[in-house]
Amino acid sequence: MSSVAIVGAGAAGLAAAYALDIPVTVFEKSRGAGGRAATRWRDVAGPNGMLDRWRYDHGAQYVSPEPGSPSARLIREVMGEAVVEVGGAVWPFDDDGTLRPDRAREPGLRWTFRDGVAEIGRQLRDATPGLDLRHQRVVRLAAGADGWTVETDGGERHGPFGSVLLTPPAPQTARVLRDSDLGPAAAAALADALGGAGYRSQFTVVWGFRDAVERPADVYALVNATEHGGDGGGHDVAWLAVESDKPGRAPQGDTILLAQMSEAWTEAHYDDAQADVVAAATGAVRSLWGPLPAPLWTDAQRWRYSLPNAAAEPAALADASEHGLFFAGDYTAGKGRVHLALEEGLAAADRIRQRAG
């Protein structure tokens, strides 16, 4: 099989690299791996003066594959016994904040890992033989007689590669294609196909509390699952969870609350200072959860391309495979879920192999 370049070291890109089972070059603009399957930690002085480590998943909350699906098999194969089930009830609430336990559904698989959901990216990276991970941002592609050349933001050129798999969010992928040597008509067609995905932005806000925090009910999380589709509607809060219910997240007896805010709220506060974001989110959470004590620490993360609204138009993307260009990610799945991105990456690896014969 000819050489392969993958743009993006999120779930789709890393799953494809793992499945291809050949030396692969992966370009990733950030310092990490895993995309929105991301975990942060901070060390805070505890009551005894020793540093306590707090961890929280500030992007994807867990991985929820169907039992026996390709993504479930992949996670078990790579992670082994490190998989941890996320338990507890998730109650929906209406736009006015009314809790609706009558609408709660039986949970499917909810998987995480003791050191955070980011472990899946790190473990996939480490389990892929011959993976050449380069932390550089790709700005354009150029077609040549020998294949594709990948140009990064430092002006470096890499290649040639027989195939290129593009996995960043659709708007970022479209930007690379518009600046690439594809011919105006081809670049425009692909950019139009990617434009159909559309993305919602989302703030994640986190509070760390010393001691337990009283809950409005015996739940792990609350979700705004009204007629707006389950990812936040009329209420300012889309998702609110006791992050410390996951193992290894907080010191014994302490609490982490994590909120993912609605699209409208995020857009209204998109350029606010972090302290103002936390203050506004605190008021929204109190209206739903009830009184909260003063936090020990807080954090906020703004995700510009958090969740796609739909899938990109598939026909134009499929046609590009004849020229060695492939696409995979949440924008080909049409929904922002880690397990779907993993499966899109596995399917892209199959298409690359088929083209190579």
Side-chain angles (χ1 to χ4, degrees), residues 35-303:
R36 287 189 69 248
T39 307
R40 282 183 180 158
W41 66 86
R42 60 172 61 206
D43 293 329
V44 180
N48 59 2
M50 303 293 289
L51 291 179
D52 293 326
R53 175 151 291 186
W54 303 63
R55 291 185 178 89
Y56 46 99
D57 299 325
H58 58 291
Q61 294 295 282
Y62 45 76
V63 186
S64 51
E66 292 294 324
S69 65
S71 55
R73 294 195 299 270
L74 173 66
I75 292 168
R76 281 297 190 190
E77 181 178 318
V78 173
M79 305 298 293
E81 297 305 313
V83 176
V84 177
E85 185 80 19
V86 180
V90 176
W91 283 9
F93 60 90
D94 292 334
D95 286 347
D96 63 1
T98 302
L99 301 186
R100 295 296 302 271
D102 57 302
R103 294 172 55 195
R105 295 177 295 179
E106 288 295 320
L109 295 180
R110 296 200 303 242
W111 285 352
T112 188
F113 316 98
R114 182 170 181 82
D115 289 338
V117 74
E119 272 299 295
I120 191 165
R122 291 192 287 267
Q123 294 287 351
L124 275 170
R125 176 197 64 194
D126 295 345
T128 302
L131 175 63
D132 181 7
L133 178 56
R134 305 182 183 186
H135 292 284
Q136 299 171 293
R137 184 169 66 91
V138 172
V139 295
R140 68 187 303 270
L141 308 174
D146 297 329
W148 292 96
T149 299
V150 174
E151 184 176 329
T152 56
D153 52 359
E156 298 177 356
R157 295 175 178 269
H158 308 265
F161 298 98
S163 299
V164 177
L165 170 62
L166 294 142
T167 70
Q172 295 175 332
T173 295
R175 193 175 306 128
V176 170
L177 293 174
R178 288 192 192 98
D179 293 336
S180 295
D181 178 20
L182 306 178
L190 289 171
D192 287 346
L194 292 164
Y199 274 75
R200 305 192 293 280
S201 300
Q202 188 169 66
F203 258 118
T204 298
V205 185
V206 190
W207 299 260
F209 300 95
R210 189 67 75 194
D211 301 321
V213 171
E214 185 176 353
R215 310 184 191 207
D218 184 21
V219 294
Y220 152 62
L222 306 176
V223 61
N224 186 350
T226 66
E227 67 272 19
H228 298 277
D231 289 311
H235 201 282
D236 290 337
V237 177
W239 166 266
L240 179 58
V242 184
E243 177 72 7
S244 48
D245 279 3
K246 301 174 185 175
R249 296 307 194 272
Q252 184 67 34
D254 295 343
T255 304
I256 302 174
L257 282 185
L258 184 147
Q260 292 180 327
M261 309 304 292
S262 72
E263 179 184 18
W265 190 97
T266 296
E267 292 298 333
H269 295 275
Y270 193 81
D271 294 317
D272 290 0
Q274 180 167 306
D276 295 331
V277 169
V278 172
T282 300
V285 167
R286 282 176 175 157
S287 72
L288 181 65
W289 195 262
L292 294 173
L296 184 64
W297 56 266
T298 62
D299 195 10
Q301 168 68 37
R302 180 180 63 192
W303 296 96

